[in-house]
Amino acid sequence: MNRITLRFTLNGMNIALETAPNKRMLDVLRGDLGQTGTKEGCAIGECGACTVILNGEPVASCLITAAQMQGAQVLTIEGMSETLIGRVLQDCFVEGDAVQCGFCTPGFIMSAYALLLKNPHPTREEIREAVAGNICRCTGYIPIVNAIEQAGIKLRS
Ligand code: FES
Ligand code: FES
């Protein structure tokens, strides 16, 4: 079977591993690298549970191949948790009851992180647009939008 040496940075660390080029990014991250905070929901790019940051943009890792990760900078929920924006977002999700079963939460937080990185003053409409690719079956979305809005306010103060 065709194999490649995949080199990229994961949460700032240099990674090199042998893998099939068509292996899903989600499987490289969860299976090969133990990044189990990234969840698999639909596996067809519709739920957002598998969202990670690839070269600064949120992507559905179930739709990305290992070959597309070559030379990239990848941030997962584990790495994001070490950042100021990440810690504030996580606190606001907990304080704002934006987490119930929690399965969708890493994906929402990654999308919110990408938003706040580029736009520290998002409107509620911009927040809704940023998480439009994330599905939650529990919270009804309003607490999630509130939590992201609150995180933006805290980060600015
Ligand atoms: S598991 Fe990737 S979008 Fe649902
Ligand atoms: S908190 Fe359960 S799916 Fe969102």
Side-chain angles (χ1 to χ4, degrees):
M1 186 197 285
N2 187 17
R3 307 277 291 177
I4 58 170
T5 302
L6 175 61
R7 296 179 200 281
F8 65 103
T9 66
L10 173 65
N11 303 329
M13 290 185 306
N14 291 325
I15 302 289
L17 58 87
E18 298 289 313
T19 188
N22 61 351
K23 189 168 190 173
R24 298 183 310 169
M25 182 185 196
L26 178 61
D27 297 323
V28 171
L29 293 174
R30 285 181 57 90
D32 295 331
L33 297 169
Q35 301 290 293
T36 53
T38 304
K39 304 302 182 196
E40 177 165 8
C42 67
I44 56 171
E46 292 187 353
C47 75
C50 66
T51 303
V52 299
I53 308 294
L54 177 70
N55 293 330
E57 299 295 334
V59 296
S61 60
C62 66
L63 298 182
I64 303 288
T65 64
Q68 292 172 282
M69 300 167 68
Q70 193 67 271
Q73 293 186 334
V74 176
L75 185 71
T76 63
I77 188 79
E78 287 85 354
M80 192 268 334
S81 303
E82 303 297 319
T83 68
L84 175 63
I85 296 177
R87 285 196 296 272
V88 171
L89 271 168
Q90 288 179 320
D91 287 348
C92 288
F93 267 65
V94 172
E95 289 163 8
D97 288 329
V99 180
Q100 288 186 30
C101 81
F103 194 83
C104 69
T105 308
F108 269 97
I109 289 186
M110 295 311 287
S111 295
Y113 174 87
L115 170 69
L116 292 177
L117 210 52
K118 290 182 179 170
N119 178 4
H121 303 262
T123 64
R124 289 182 70 83
E125 189 52 36
E126 287 169 332
I127 293 170
R128 280 192 211 98
E129 280 173 23
V131 297
N134 295 87
I135 292 174
C136 176
R137 65 187 175 185
C138 303
T139 68
Y141 299 101
I142 290 175
I144 292 174
V145 173
N146 290 346
I148 298 169
E149 183 178 43
Q150 191 59 32
I153 292 167
K154 279 194 179 179
L155 285 162
R156 296 196 295 276
S157 62

